[in-house]
Protein backbone atom coordinates (compact mmCIF):
# COMPACT_ATOMS: atom_id res chain seq x y z
CA UNK A 1 0.00 0.00 0.00
CA UNK A 2 1.39 3.41 -0.99
CA UNK A 3 2.17 5.98 1.69
CA UNK A 4 0.70 9.46 1.39
CA UNK A 5 3.99 10.75 -0.02
CA UNK A 6 4.10 7.83 -2.41
CA UNK A 7 0.59 8.55 -3.65
CA UNK A 8 1.48 12.23 -4.21
CA UNK A 9 4.56 11.31 -6.24
CA UNK A 10 2.53 8.73 -8.14
CA UNK A 11 -0.16 11.30 -9.05
CA UNK A 12 2.42 13.83 -10.18
CA UNK A 13 4.26 11.22 -12.23
CA UNK A 14 1.07 9.93 -13.87
CA UNK A 15 -0.06 13.44 -14.78
CA UNK A 16 3.29 14.39 -16.29
CA UNK A 17 3.46 11.15 -18.28
CA UNK A 18 -0.07 11.56 -19.66
CA UNK A 19 0.41 15.23 -20.46
CA UNK A 20 3.69 14.61 -22.31
CA UNK A 21 1.87 12.14 -24.56
CA UNK A 22 -1.02 14.44 -25.50
CA UNK A 23 0.71 16.20 -28.39
CA UNK A 24 1.21 12.86 -30.16
CA UNK A 25 -2.52 12.02 -30.44
CA UNK A 26 -5.21 13.15 -32.83
CA UNK A 27 -7.97 15.34 -31.41
CA UNK A 28 -10.41 12.54 -30.53
CA UNK A 29 -7.87 10.33 -28.77
CA UNK A 30 -6.41 13.39 -27.10
CA UNK A 31 -9.85 14.18 -25.67
CA UNK A 32 -10.08 10.68 -24.18
CA UNK A 33 -6.63 11.01 -22.66
CA UNK A 34 -7.57 14.38 -21.16
CA UNK A 35 -10.48 12.55 -19.50
CA UNK A 36 -7.91 10.25 -17.85
CA UNK A 37 -5.81 13.25 -16.90
CA UNK A 38 -8.82 14.89 -15.27
CA UNK A 39 -9.39 11.80 -13.13
CA UNK A 40 -5.85 12.18 -11.78
CA UNK A 41 -6.50 15.87 -11.11
CA UNK A 42 -9.51 14.90 -8.96
CA UNK A 43 -7.19 13.17 -6.49
CA UNK A 44 -4.55 15.90 -6.26
CA UNK A 45 -3.83 17.88 -3.13
CA UNK A 46 -2.49 21.42 -2.78
CA UNK A 47 1.17 20.43 -2.97
CA UNK A 48 0.59 18.46 -6.17
CA UNK A 49 -1.34 21.28 -7.83
CA UNK A 50 1.46 23.71 -7.03
CA UNK A 51 4.14 21.37 -8.35
CA UNK A 52 2.31 20.77 -11.65
CA UNK A 53 0.44 23.95 -12.56
CA UNK A 54 3.40 26.24 -13.04
CA UNK A 55 4.02 28.84 -15.75
CA UNK A 56 6.06 26.23 -17.64
CA UNK A 57 2.98 24.02 -18.02
CA UNK A 58 0.80 26.93 -19.22
CA UNK A 59 3.51 28.05 -21.66
CA UNK A 60 3.79 24.48 -22.95
CA UNK A 61 0.01 24.36 -23.55
CA UNK A 62 0.21 27.68 -25.39
CA UNK A 63 2.99 26.33 -27.59
CA UNK A 64 0.93 23.20 -28.35
CA UNK A 65 -1.98 25.42 -29.45
CA UNK A 66 0.33 27.52 -31.61
CA UNK A 67 1.79 24.42 -33.27
CA UNK A 68 -1.72 22.93 -33.68
CA UNK A 69 -0.86 19.99 -31.43
CA UNK A 70 -3.81 20.76 -29.17
CA UNK A 71 -7.10 22.37 -30.09
CA UNK A 72 -8.52 25.22 -28.04
CA UNK A 73 -11.53 23.00 -27.26
CA UNK A 74 -9.32 20.30 -25.73
CA UNK A 75 -7.33 22.94 -23.87
CA UNK A 76 -10.56 24.19 -22.33
CA UNK A 77 -11.60 20.63 -21.43
CA UNK A 78 -8.40 20.27 -19.41
CA UNK A 79 -8.30 23.74 -17.86
CA UNK A 80 -11.97 24.01 -16.84
CA UNK A 81 -11.76 20.78 -14.89
CA UNK A 82 -8.43 21.68 -13.31
CA UNK A 83 -9.66 25.20 -12.50
CA UNK A 84 -12.77 23.87 -10.79
CA UNK A 85 -10.69 21.48 -8.64
CA UNK A 86 -8.20 24.23 -7.78
CA UNK A 87 -10.96 26.54 -6.55
CA UNK A 88 -12.90 23.88 -4.66
CA UNK A 89 -9.74 22.85 -2.83
CA UNK A 90 -8.81 26.50 -2.25
CA UNK A 91 -5.43 26.32 -3.98
CA UNK A 92 -3.82 29.55 -5.11
CA UNK A 93 -2.08 29.28 -8.52
CA UNK A 94 -0.30 32.59 -9.25
CA UNK A 95 1.69 31.42 -12.27
CA UNK A 96 -1.08 31.50 -14.88
CA UNK A 97 -1.15 35.30 -15.10
CA UNK A 98 2.52 35.39 -16.07
CA UNK A 99 2.17 32.82 -18.85
CA UNK A 100 1.83 33.22 -22.61
CA UNK A 101 -1.41 31.20 -22.37
CA UNK A 102 -3.00 33.94 -20.24
CA UNK A 103 -2.06 36.50 -22.91
CA UNK A 104 -3.58 34.29 -25.59
CA UNK A 105 -6.84 33.93 -23.65
CA UNK A 106 -7.05 37.69 -23.03
CA UNK A 107 -6.70 38.42 -26.75
CA UNK A 108 -9.22 35.72 -27.69
CA UNK A 109 -11.78 37.00 -25.15
CA UNK A 110 -11.48 40.59 -26.38
CA UNK A 111 -11.63 39.47 -30.00
CA UNK A 112 -14.69 37.27 -29.42
CA UNK A 113 -16.49 40.04 -27.53
CA UNK A 114 -16.00 42.49 -30.42
CA UNK A 115 -17.55 40.17 -33.00
CA UNK A 116 -20.87 41.44 -34.30
CA UNK A 117 -21.73 38.28 -36.21
CA UNK A 118 -20.83 34.59 -35.96
CA UNK A 119 -19.86 34.91 -32.31
CA UNK A 120 -19.15 31.51 -30.77
CA UNK A 121 -21.07 31.94 -27.49
CA UNK A 122 -19.91 28.65 -25.98
CA UNK A 123 -16.27 29.39 -26.73
CA UNK A 124 -16.69 32.91 -25.34
CA UNK A 125 -18.10 31.58 -22.05
CA UNK A 126 -15.47 28.83 -21.80
CA UNK A 127 -12.61 31.29 -22.33
CA UNK A 128 -13.97 33.65 -19.67
CA UNK A 129 -14.38 30.78 -17.19
CA UNK A 130 -10.86 29.42 -17.70
CA UNK A 131 -9.39 32.90 -17.45
CA UNK A 132 -11.18 33.74 -14.17
CA UNK A 133 -10.58 30.34 -12.58
CA UNK A 134 -6.81 30.65 -12.95
CA UNK A 135 -6.21 34.41 -12.92
CA UNK A 136 -6.36 36.70 -9.90
CA UNK A 137 -5.55 40.20 -11.22
CA UNK A 138 -8.23 41.49 -13.60
CA UNK A 139 -8.13 44.63 -15.72
CA UNK A 140 -11.26 46.81 -15.91
CA UNK A 141 -11.57 45.85 -19.59
CA UNK A 142 -11.66 42.12 -18.82
CA UNK A 143 -14.09 42.69 -15.95
CA UNK A 144 -16.46 44.61 -18.24
CA UNK A 145 -16.36 41.72 -20.74
CA UNK A 146 -16.30 38.60 -18.54
CA UNK A 147 -18.88 39.57 -15.91
CA UNK A 148 -21.82 40.22 -18.29
CA UNK A 149 -20.87 37.15 -20.33
CA UNK A 150 -20.88 34.80 -17.33
CA UNK A 151 -23.92 36.34 -15.64
CA UNK A 152 -25.83 35.74 -18.88
CA UNK A 153 -24.64 32.11 -18.92
CA UNK A 154 -25.59 31.72 -15.25
CA UNK A 155 -29.08 33.11 -15.86
CA UNK A 156 -30.20 30.19 -18.04
CA UNK A 157 -33.33 28.64 -16.57
CA UNK A 158 -33.28 25.16 -18.15
CA UNK A 159 -33.15 22.45 -15.50
CA UNK A 160 -31.23 19.79 -17.45
CA UNK A 161 -28.15 18.27 -15.82
CA UNK A 162 -25.93 19.67 -18.57
CA UNK A 163 -27.28 23.19 -18.06
CA UNK A 164 -26.85 22.88 -14.29
CA UNK A 165 -23.17 22.12 -14.80
CA UNK A 166 -22.75 25.07 -17.15
CA UNK A 167 -24.45 27.46 -14.72
CA UNK A 168 -22.40 26.06 -11.83
CA UNK A 169 -19.13 26.65 -13.69
CA UNK A 170 -20.10 30.20 -14.68
CA UNK A 171 -20.98 31.12 -11.08
CA UNK A 172 -17.89 29.41 -9.67
CA UNK A 173 -15.70 31.46 -12.03
CA UNK A 174 -17.51 34.68 -11.03
CA UNK A 175 -17.08 33.91 -7.34
CA UNK A 176 -13.31 33.90 -7.82
CA UNK A 177 -13.17 37.54 -8.87
CA UNK A 178 -12.58 38.55 -5.26
CA UNK A 179 -12.69 42.20 -4.28
CA UNK A 180 -12.13 43.70 -7.74
CA UNK A 181 -14.00 46.93 -8.44
CA UNK A 182 -17.14 46.94 -10.59
CA UNK A 183 -20.18 49.16 -10.89
CA UNK A 184 -23.61 48.02 -9.70
CA UNK A 185 -25.05 48.15 -13.20
CA UNK A 186 -22.56 45.47 -14.24
CA UNK A 187 -23.94 42.84 -11.88
CA UNK A 188 -26.71 43.78 -9.42
CA UNK A 189 -29.87 43.12 -11.43
CA UNK A 190 -28.63 39.80 -12.82
CA UNK A 191 -27.16 38.30 -9.63
CA UNK A 192 -30.23 39.34 -7.63
CA UNK A 193 -32.51 37.63 -10.14
CA UNK A 194 -30.38 34.47 -10.08
CA UNK A 195 -30.60 34.27 -6.28
CA UNK A 196 -34.35 35.04 -6.21
CA UNK A 197 -35.06 32.44 -8.91
CA UNK A 198 -33.17 29.85 -6.88
CA UNK A 199 -35.16 30.69 -3.76
CA UNK A 200 -38.38 30.11 -5.67
CA UNK A 201 -37.47 27.10 -7.82
CA UNK A 202 -34.43 25.47 -6.13
CA UNK A 203 -32.89 24.44 -9.45
CA UNK A 204 -29.23 25.32 -8.81
CA UNK A 205 -26.65 22.96 -7.37
CA UNK A 206 -25.42 23.72 -3.85
CA UNK A 207 -22.06 24.85 -5.24
CA UNK A 208 -23.65 27.13 -7.83
CA UNK A 209 -25.85 28.82 -5.21
CA UNK A 210 -22.95 29.28 -2.78
CA UNK A 211 -20.86 30.74 -5.60
CA UNK A 212 -23.60 33.25 -6.45
CA UNK A 213 -23.68 34.43 -2.85
CA UNK A 214 -19.87 34.58 -2.61
CA UNK A 215 -19.70 36.75 -5.73
CA UNK A 216 -22.33 39.06 -4.21
CA UNK A 217 -20.60 39.11 -0.81
CA UNK A 218 -17.35 40.38 -2.34
CA UNK A 219 -19.31 43.19 -3.98
CA UNK A 220 -20.84 44.06 -0.59
CA UNK A 221 -17.40 44.72 0.87
CA UNK A 222 -16.85 47.31 -1.86
CA UNK A 223 -20.35 48.82 -1.71
CA UNK A 224 -22.08 49.17 1.67
CA UNK A 225 -25.35 50.11 -0.05
CA UNK A 226 -25.87 46.44 -0.92
CA UNK A 227 -26.39 45.30 2.66
CA UNK A 228 -30.13 45.88 2.82
CA UNK A 229 -30.54 43.77 -0.34
CA UNK A 230 -28.38 41.01 1.14
CA UNK A 231 -29.92 40.92 4.62
CA UNK A 232 -33.56 41.86 4.15
CA UNK A 233 -34.47 41.33 0.49
CA UNK A 234 -32.48 38.17 -0.26
CA UNK A 235 -32.39 36.89 3.34
CA UNK A 236 -28.78 35.75 3.58
CA UNK A 237 -29.17 34.43 7.14
CA UNK A 238 -32.14 32.25 6.26
CA UNK A 239 -30.62 30.96 3.01
CA UNK A 240 -27.22 30.18 4.50
CA UNK A 241 -28.90 28.25 7.33
CA UNK A 242 -30.99 26.25 4.85
CA UNK A 243 -27.99 25.40 2.67
CA UNK A 244 -25.86 24.35 5.65
CA UNK A 245 -28.67 22.11 6.88
CA UNK A 246 -29.10 20.43 3.49
CA UNK A 247 -25.36 20.00 2.93
CA UNK A 248 -24.89 18.53 6.41
CA UNK A 249 -27.29 15.74 5.47
CA UNK A 250 -25.07 14.78 2.51
CA UNK A 251 -21.98 14.14 4.64
CA UNK A 252 -21.04 10.97 6.47
CA UNK A 253 -19.92 12.55 9.74
CA UNK A 254 -19.03 9.24 11.40
CA UNK A 255 -16.42 8.38 8.79
CA UNK A 256 -12.90 8.51 10.20
CA UNK A 257 -9.79 9.80 8.44
CA UNK A 258 -8.78 7.50 5.58
CA UNK A 259 -12.28 6.11 4.99
CA UNK A 260 -13.36 6.41 1.38
CA UNK A 261 -15.68 9.27 0.38
CA UNK A 262 -17.45 9.36 -2.98
CA UNK A 263 -16.95 12.32 -5.33
CA UNK A 264 -20.37 13.84 -4.73
CA UNK A 265 -20.01 13.73 -0.96
CA UNK A 266 -16.52 15.22 -1.19
CA UNK A 267 -17.87 18.06 -3.34
CA UNK A 268 -20.73 18.80 -0.93
CA UNK A 269 -18.28 18.80 1.97
CA UNK A 270 -16.11 21.37 0.21
CA UNK A 271 -19.21 23.43 -0.62
CA UNK A 272 -20.24 23.39 3.05
CA UNK A 273 -16.77 24.65 3.99
CA UNK A 274 -17.13 27.46 1.44
CA UNK A 275 -20.46 28.42 3.02
CA UNK A 276 -18.85 28.63 6.47
CA UNK A 277 -16.14 30.89 5.05
CA UNK A 278 -18.79 33.08 3.38
CA UNK A 279 -20.66 33.40 6.68
CA UNK A 280 -17.41 34.39 8.39
CA UNK A 281 -16.89 37.08 5.75
CA UNK A 282 -20.39 38.45 6.25
CA UNK A 283 -20.24 38.69 10.04
CA UNK A 284 -16.88 40.39 9.83
CA UNK A 285 -18.47 43.61 8.62
CA UNK A 286 -22.28 43.44 8.56
CA UNK A 287 -24.12 46.47 9.96
CA UNK A 288 -27.77 45.39 9.91
CA UNK A 289 -29.14 43.10 12.60
CA UNK A 290 -31.49 40.36 11.44
CA UNK A 291 -33.43 37.82 13.51
CA UNK A 292 -32.46 35.15 10.96
CA UNK A 293 -28.96 35.18 12.46
CA UNK A 294 -30.21 32.98 15.33
CA UNK A 295 -31.20 30.16 12.97
CA UNK A 296 -27.88 30.45 11.18
CA UNK A 297 -25.94 30.17 14.46
CA UNK A 298 -28.02 27.08 15.33
CA UNK A 299 -27.00 25.42 12.06
CA UNK A 300 -23.31 26.28 12.51
CA UNK A 301 -23.37 24.84 16.03
CA UNK A 302 -25.11 21.68 14.80
CA UNK A 303 -22.40 21.23 12.17
CA UNK A 304 -19.69 21.81 14.76
CA UNK A 305 -21.15 19.05 16.95
CA UNK A 306 -21.50 16.66 14.00
CA UNK A 307 -17.93 17.31 12.89
CA UNK A 308 -16.09 17.51 16.21
CA UNK A 309 -14.93 13.88 16.33
CA UNK A 310 -13.83 13.18 12.75
CA UNK A 311 -13.77 16.48 10.80
CA UNK A 312 -11.69 18.86 12.88
CA UNK A 313 -10.98 21.11 9.88
CA UNK A 314 -14.70 21.86 9.63
CA UNK A 315 -14.84 22.48 13.39
CA UNK A 316 -12.24 25.22 13.04
CA UNK A 317 -14.20 26.79 10.17
CA UNK A 318 -17.32 26.79 12.39
CA UNK A 319 -15.54 28.98 14.94
CA UNK A 320 -14.72 31.74 12.41
CA UNK A 321 -18.26 33.07 11.82
CA UNK A 322 -19.01 32.76 15.55
CA UNK A 323 -15.88 34.67 16.51
CA UNK A 324 -16.53 37.37 13.92
CA UNK A 325 -20.17 37.65 14.99
CA UNK A 326 -19.33 38.26 18.65
CA UNK A 327 -16.68 40.81 17.68
CA UNK A 328 -19.27 42.59 15.51
CA UNK A 329 -21.28 44.91 17.75
CA UNK A 330 -24.36 44.58 15.52
CA UNK A 331 -24.82 40.90 16.42
CA UNK A 332 -26.38 40.45 19.86
CA UNK A 333 -24.80 38.17 22.46
CA UNK A 334 -28.32 36.94 23.17
CA UNK A 335 -28.56 35.66 19.56
CA UNK A 336 -25.34 33.69 20.00
CA UNK A 337 -26.66 32.29 23.25
CA UNK A 338 -29.98 31.24 21.68
CA UNK A 339 -28.11 29.70 18.75
CA UNK A 340 -26.03 27.56 21.12
CA UNK A 341 -22.71 29.21 20.21
CA UNK A 342 -21.62 30.00 23.78
CA UNK A 343 -22.29 26.46 24.96
CA UNK A 344 -20.52 24.94 21.93
CA UNK A 345 -17.37 26.99 22.53
CA UNK A 346 -17.35 26.00 26.20
CA UNK A 347 -17.74 22.35 25.18
CA UNK A 348 -14.71 22.74 22.93
CA UNK A 349 -12.66 24.15 25.80
CA UNK A 350 -13.40 20.97 27.79
CA UNK A 351 -12.01 18.57 25.18
CA UNK A 352 -9.18 16.31 26.43
CA UNK A 353 -6.94 17.62 23.62
CA UNK A 354 -7.10 21.13 22.27
CA UNK A 355 -4.95 22.44 19.42
CA UNK A 356 -3.48 25.93 19.32
CA UNK A 357 -5.74 27.19 16.54
CA UNK A 358 -8.93 26.12 18.32
CA UNK A 359 -7.65 27.45 21.65
CA UNK A 360 -7.01 30.81 20.07
CA UNK A 361 -10.43 30.96 18.37
CA UNK A 362 -12.32 29.90 21.50
CA UNK A 363 -10.48 32.35 23.73
CA UNK A 364 -11.12 35.22 21.34
CA UNK A 365 -14.80 34.31 21.33
CA UNK A 366 -15.03 34.10 25.14
CA UNK A 367 -12.98 37.27 25.59
CA UNK A 368 -15.43 39.25 23.46
CA UNK A 369 -18.49 37.71 25.12
CA UNK A 370 -17.09 38.61 28.53
CA UNK A 371 -16.27 42.18 27.49
CA UNK A 372 -19.67 42.78 25.94
CA UNK A 373 -21.58 41.38 28.89
CA UNK A 374 -19.69 43.76 31.18
CA UNK A 375 -20.29 46.90 29.10
CA UNK A 376 -22.91 49.01 30.87
CA UNK A 377 -25.50 50.73 28.68
CA UNK A 378 -26.73 54.32 29.05
CA UNK A 379 -30.19 53.38 27.81
CA UNK A 380 -32.19 51.81 30.68
CA UNK A 381 -33.97 49.34 28.44
CA UNK A 382 -30.73 48.18 26.80
CA UNK A 383 -29.05 47.94 30.20
CA UNK A 384 -31.88 45.71 31.43
CA UNK A 385 -31.45 43.50 28.36
CA UNK A 386 -27.70 43.27 28.98
CA UNK A 387 -28.23 42.17 32.57
CA UNK A 388 -30.84 39.63 31.52
CA UNK A 389 -28.51 38.17 28.88
CA UNK A 390 -25.64 38.08 31.34
CA UNK A 391 -27.84 36.21 33.81
CA UNK A 392 -28.81 33.69 31.10
CA UNK A 393 -25.16 33.11 30.21
CA UNK A 394 -24.21 32.40 33.79
CA UNK A 395 -27.21 30.11 34.23
CA UNK A 396 -26.00 28.19 31.17
CA UNK A 397 -22.53 27.97 32.72
CA UNK A 398 -23.95 26.57 35.95
CA UNK A 399 -26.07 24.01 34.09
CA UNK A 400 -23.02 22.76 32.20
CA UNK A 401 -20.67 22.86 35.18
CA UNK A 402 -18.33 25.32 33.53
CA UNK A 403 -17.81 27.62 36.53
CA UNK A 404 -14.26 26.44 37.26
CA UNK A 405 -13.19 26.89 33.66
CA UNK A 406 -14.60 30.41 33.51
CA UNK A 407 -13.12 31.35 36.89
CA UNK A 408 -9.74 30.21 35.62
CA UNK A 409 -10.33 32.05 32.38
CA UNK A 410 -11.05 35.31 34.20
CA UNK A 411 -7.95 34.86 36.38
CA UNK A 412 -5.87 34.65 33.19
CA UNK A 413 -7.98 37.21 31.31
CA UNK A 414 -5.43 40.04 31.11
CA UNK A 415 -2.57 37.75 30.12
CA UNK A 416 -4.63 35.89 27.53
CA UNK A 417 -5.89 39.12 26.00
CA UNK A 418 -2.30 40.32 25.50
CA UNK A 419 -1.28 36.98 24.03
CA UNK A 420 -4.19 36.87 21.58
CA UNK A 421 -4.34 40.43 20.39
CA UNK A 422 -0.59 41.03 20.31
CA UNK A 423 -0.34 37.94 18.08
CA UNK A 424 2.05 36.04 20.31
CA UNK A 425 2.20 32.26 20.04
CA UNK A 426 -0.05 30.55 22.55
CA UNK A 427 1.83 28.25 24.87
CA UNK A 428 0.80 24.62 24.90
CA UNK A 429 0.82 24.96 28.71
CA UNK A 430 -2.08 27.42 28.51
CA UNK A 431 -4.03 24.97 26.38
CA UNK A 432 -3.31 22.06 28.74
CA UNK A 433 -4.26 24.10 31.77
CA UNK A 434 -7.59 25.21 30.35
CA UNK A 435 -8.74 21.71 29.47
CA UNK A 436 -7.67 20.21 32.82
CA UNK A 437 -8.93 22.75 35.36
Amino acid sequence: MLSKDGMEKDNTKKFNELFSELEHYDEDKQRKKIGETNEIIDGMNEEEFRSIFKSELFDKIDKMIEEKKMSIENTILLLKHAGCCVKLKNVFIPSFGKSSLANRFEKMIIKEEKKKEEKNEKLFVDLCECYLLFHFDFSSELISICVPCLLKAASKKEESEENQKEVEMALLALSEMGYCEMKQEQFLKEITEIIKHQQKHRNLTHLAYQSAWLFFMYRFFKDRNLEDTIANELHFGREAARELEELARCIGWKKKGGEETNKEEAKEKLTLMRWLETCAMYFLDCRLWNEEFIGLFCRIVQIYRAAKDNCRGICILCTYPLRNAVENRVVRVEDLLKGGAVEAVLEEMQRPTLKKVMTNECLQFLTNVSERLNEKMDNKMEEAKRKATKRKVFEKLEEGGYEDTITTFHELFHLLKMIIFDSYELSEDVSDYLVNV
Side-chain angles (χ1 to χ4, degrees):
M1 186 174 181
L2 280 174
S3 66
K4 185 178 178 182
D5 288 343
M7 288 176 69
E8 289 174 4
K9 289 176 183 176
D10 195 46
N11 274 336
T12 304
K13 183 180 177 182
K14 282 182 179 178
F15 178 91
N16 288 331
E17 286 176 352
L18 272 172
F19 182 80
S20 66
E21 295 171 359
L22 290 179
E23 60 183 316
H24 304 301
Y25 299 128
D26 61 35
E27 188 168 355
D28 288 340
K29 190 168 183 182
Q30 189 178 81
R31 189 177 296 111
K32 291 179 182 177
K33 288 293 179 181
I34 287 173
E36 294 177 27
T37 305
N38 287 345
E39 287 181 11
I40 296 170
I41 289 172
D42 286 335
M44 287 183 184
N45 58 29
E46 183 173 350
E47 185 179 339
E48 291 174 301
F49 277 116
R50 289 185 183 280
S51 69
I52 290 170
F53 289 91
K54 298 179 178 179
S55 55
E56 292 86 355
L57 177 73
F58 296 121
D59 288 337
K60 173 65 175 175
I61 293 172
D62 184 61
K63 186 178 179 182
M64 289 168 69
I65 296 170
E66 185 68 29
E67 295 176 351
K68 301 191 185 309
K69 293 180 179 179
M70 184 184 283
S71 67
I72 192 67
E73 288 78 15
N74 280 355
T75 301
I76 286 167
L77 184 64
L78 174 64
L79 291 183
K80 277 179 68 171
H81 188 83
C84 180
C85 289
V86 162
K87 295 310 177 186
L88 272 177
K89 296 181 181 182
N90 202 23
V91 182
F92 179 57
I93 305 290
S95 52
F96 176 77
K98 304 172 186 177
S99 70
S100 56
L101 184 61
N103 291 330
R104 178 183 292 275
F105 275 30
E106 286 177 11
K107 291 174 182 176
M108 290 181 72
I109 289 168
I110 293 168
K111 181 180 177 182
E112 201 65 36
E113 195 270 339
K114 288 180 178 178
K115 285 183 180 178
K116 302 298 181 185
E117 297 177 0
E118 297 182 1
K119 181 183 289 189
N120 187 332
E121 290 291 347
K122 185 179 186 313
L123 176 62
F124 188 28
V125 171
D126 286 342
L127 289 168
C128 290
E129 288 171 351
C130 288
Y131 186 76
L132 296 188
L133 287 169
F134 278 102
H135 218 324
F136 65 94
D137 185 19
F138 312 106
S139 68
S140 57
E141 182 179 16
L142 266 295
I143 290 170
S144 66
I145 294 172
C146 292
V147 171
C149 169
L150 294 184
L151 283 173
K152 181 181 177 183
S155 299
K156 293 178 179 178
K157 302 298 192 294
E158 297 88 357
E159 296 189 13
S160 66
E161 185 177 348
E162 183 180 355
N163 184 66
Q164 277 193 329
K165 289 180 180 178
E166 289 176 0
V167 169
E168 180 181 88
M169 187 62 72
L171 288 168
L172 178 62
L174 283 168
S175 73
E176 296 305 319
M177 298 195 72
Y179 297 101
C180 61
E181 297 277 1
M182 65 182 75
K183 296 176 181 177
Q184 279 195 19
E185 55 265 29
Q186 289 181 302
F187 69 89
L188 184 56
K189 181 176 180 290
E190 289 81 2
I191 197 67
T192 302
E193 287 181 356
I194 288 168
I195 291 173
K196 284 184 174 180
H197 189 270
Q198 168 65 2
Q199 291 173 357
K200 186 175 181 180
H201 298 281
R202 299 290 163 186
N203 63 322
L204 294 181
T205 65
H206 288 297
L207 176 59
Y209 193 39
Q210 187 280 329
S211 297
W213 270 111
L214 183 55
F215 170 76
F216 205 170
M217 204 60 69
Y218 279 123
R219 311 287 71 77
F220 158 58
F221 280 99
K222 288 292 185 179
D223 186 348
R224 303 294 321 180
N225 294 321
L226 296 173
E227 185 165 15
D228 185 58
T229 302
I230 287 172
N232 299 322
E233 183 181 346
L234 298 178
H235 300 280
F236 173 76
R238 180 194 70 194
E239 292 300 300
R242 178 202 286 266
E243 288 295 300
L244 287 172
E245 182 180 22
E246 291 183 3
L247 285 162
R249 294 197 205 107
C250 302
I251 298 170
W253 295 110
K254 294 184 179 180
K255 289 181 181 177
K256 295 183 179 180
E259 289 190 41
E260 190 174 344
T261 301
N262 62 50
K263 284 185 181 180
E264 194 56 39
E265 182 181 337
K267 181 179 177 181
E268 302 294 43
K269 189 174 181 179
L270 291 168
T271 304
L272 181 144
M273 294 167 76
R274 284 167 63 93
W275 263 113
L276 290 171
E277 290 168 346
T278 305
C279 291
M281 286 174 59
Y282 179 67
F283 286 121
L284 188 67
D285 205 30
C286 67
R287 292 291 178 269
L288 292 177
W289 177 84
N290 193 302
E291 192 174 1
E292 293 168 357
F293 292 168
I294 298 169
L296 179 53
F297 296 143
C298 283
R299 292 289 170 261
I300 292 171
V301 168
Q302 287 171 1
I303 288 168
Y304 156 75
R305 290 198 170 114
K308 65 181 180 180
D309 292 328
N310 299 320
C311 302
R312 295 299 292 168
I314 289 179
C315 281
I316 292 171
L317 287 178
C318 287
T319 66
Y320 295 160
L322 301 180
R323 178 201 63 197
N324 288 348
V326 76
E327 288 179 4
N328 188 329
R329 299 292 162 154
V330 172
V331 178
R332 305 183 312 188
V333 174
E334 184 179 357
D335 297 340
L336 290 158
L337 183 64
K338 287 179 180 177
V342 175
E343 191 172 5
V345 170
L346 289 167
E347 286 174 15
E348 182 64 25
M349 297 293 284
Q350 291 287 313
R351 287 180 64 84
T353 57
L354 194 60
K355 300 297 183 182
K356 284 185 180 182
V357 173
M358 285 298 280
T359 303
N360 200 35
E361 293 302 315
C362 291
L363 289 178
Q364 287 202 49
F365 179 89
L366 292 172
T367 297
N368 280 284
V369 168
S370 180
E371 284 186 343
R372 290 185 61 183
L373 289 177
N374 284 293
E375 289 175 346
K376 292 186 178 180
M377 305 291 182
D378 294 332
N379 182 291
K380 288 184 178 181
M381 188 175 293
E382 291 301 317
E383 175 63 8
K385 286 181 181 179
R386 180 191 70 83
K387 287 182 178 179
T389 301
K390 189 173 182 177
R391 192 159 46 250
K392 288 177 186 176
V393 170
F394 282 106
E395 286 172 0
K396 184 64 68 176
L397 299 179
E398 288 176 2
E399 287 172 17
Y402 297 117
E403 303 97 315
D404 289 342
T405 300
I406 294 305
T407 301
T408 303
F409 173 69
H410 277 287
E411 291 293 324
L412 294 171
F413 184 83
H414 181 66
L415 171 63
L416 292 171
K417 188 176 177 183
M418 287 192 298
I419 291 172
I420 293 167
F421 294 107
D422 289 344
S423 299
Y424 291 117
E425 280 287 318
L426 277 170
S427 165
E428 288 289 355
D429 294 337
V430 172
S431 176
D432 292 342
Y433 183 63
L434 283 167
V435 297
N436 290 303
V437 290

